[in-house]
């Protein structure tokens, strides 16, 4: 694994981490277009195109010395590639998030989430007990309202990634730390 050299003194004790699906360029462009479309209906703040993703497992603040264990968990995942069709806009009132989801989710997606979370749980990582809803957050602080029809985005899922989230004053900055190909 390639890591930037860091001195002992600047190495953070914990890293904010999550596993995610990260879009290829064409999918990112398509999601960005849907983000513009939803913004026209629901307002709020659009996510930057280079940050859109689907969270598979959120770990939160994780001791840096457990990174090897995390990598081992992901190495143990044997899931198949699939295409995810995102065709359904959604709005969550409680956090004012506007998102794009799937009216039909392929079983391979749930299998990937299950395999990953089971491995993480067995290795002692805290995992989210809530049922997984596949979604791409496109708007924050949105007002919601009538749900507009969306052009389906066909996302070829060929890999998953581990992401480090740096919460800066101007918002979260994400860095893909490592990638795993799907069979
Ligand atoms: P901010 O917290 O500044 O609004 P953010 O939510 O984009 O930014 P993070 O909080 O680091 O950044 O979250 C990274 C990803 O994990 C996001 O997709 C977020 O929705 C998701 N996430 C955050 N907390 C949880 C959680 N407790 N359970 C599941 N997913 C989560
Ligand atoms: Mg957050």
């Amino acid at each position: 694994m390639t890591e930037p050299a860091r001195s002992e003194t600047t190495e953070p004790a914990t890293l904010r981490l999550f596993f995610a699906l990260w879009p290829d360029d064409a999918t990112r462009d398509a999601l960005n277009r849907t983000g513009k479309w939803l913004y026209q209906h629901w307002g709020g703040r659009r996510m930057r195109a280079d940050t859109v993703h689907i969270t598979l497992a959120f770990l939160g603040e994780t001791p840096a010395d457990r990174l090897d264990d995390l990598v081992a968990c992901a190495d143990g995942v044997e899931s198949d590639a699939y295409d995810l069709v995102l065709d359904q806009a959604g709005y969550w009132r409680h956090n004012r998030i506007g998102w794009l989801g799937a009216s039909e989710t392929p079983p391979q997606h749930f299998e990937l989430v299950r395999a990953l979370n089971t491995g993480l749980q067995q290795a002692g990582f805290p995992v989210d007990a809530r049922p997984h809803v596949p979604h791409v957050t496109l708007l924050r602080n949105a007002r919601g309202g009538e749900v507009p029809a969306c052009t389906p985005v066909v996302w070829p899922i060929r890999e998953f990634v581990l992401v480090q989230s740096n919460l800066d004053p101007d918002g979260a900055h994400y860095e893909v730390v490592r990638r795993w190909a799907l069979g």
Side-chain angles (χ1 to χ4, degrees):
M1 184 163 137
T2 54
E3 259 190 352
R6 287 199 182 102
S7 74
E8 288 290 316
T9 49
T10 58
E11 182 79 48
T14 66
L15 306 169
R16 189 177 179 86
L17 297 170
F18 61 103
F19 284 102
L21 300 175
W22 213 254
D24 57 274
D25 291 347
T27 302
R28 181 184 299 111
D29 288 350
L31 291 171
N32 197 36
R33 279 194 294 277
T34 304
K36 281 183 194 160
W37 171 242
L38 283 184
Y39 175 78
Q40 287 169 23
H41 291 80
W42 290 347
R45 178 167 58 84
R46 283 177 56 204
M47 297 294 93
R48 286 204 322 270
D50 60 316
T51 66
V52 295
H53 63 273
I54 291 178
T55 301
L56 298 173
F58 182 77
L59 298 149
E61 296 297 331
T62 307
D65 62 7
R66 293 220 64 197
L67 201 50
D68 288 349
D69 294 337
L70 269 188
V71 168
C73 284
D75 284 346
V77 169
E78 288 182 24
S79 274
D80 294 326
Y82 56 98
D83 292 344
L84 185 60
V85 180
L86 299 169
D87 58 353
Q88 180 70 61
Y91 176 75
W92 284 325
R93 199 177 287 269
H94 70 279
N95 54 11
R96 296 172 59 87
I97 278 179
W99 48 274
L100 186 65
S103 59
E104 285 182 62
T105 304
Q108 294 97 322
H109 177 83
F110 289 117
E111 173 52 26
L112 171 59
V113 171
R114 189 206 60 77
L116 195 51
N117 281 278
T118 302
L120 292 170
Q121 195 164 23
Q122 283 170 357
F125 289 101
V127 294
D128 197 353
R130 294 175 303 178
H132 171 78
V133 179
H135 70 279
V136 179
T137 295
L138 292 172
L139 301 174
R140 297 222 190 234
N141 211 19
R143 62 176 171 266
E146 203 179 321
V147 178
C150 291
T151 305
V153 175
V154 183
W155 181 347
I157 309 289
R158 302 292 178 263
E159 63 171 13
F160 68 95
V161 301
L162 179 64
V163 186
Q164 182 176 343
S165 168
N166 300 301
L167 298 180
D168 298 327
D170 61 331
H173 289 261
Y174 302 137
E175 182 191 343
V176 174
V177 176
R178 199 171 161 130
R179 300 171 179 271
W180 286 265
L182 294 170

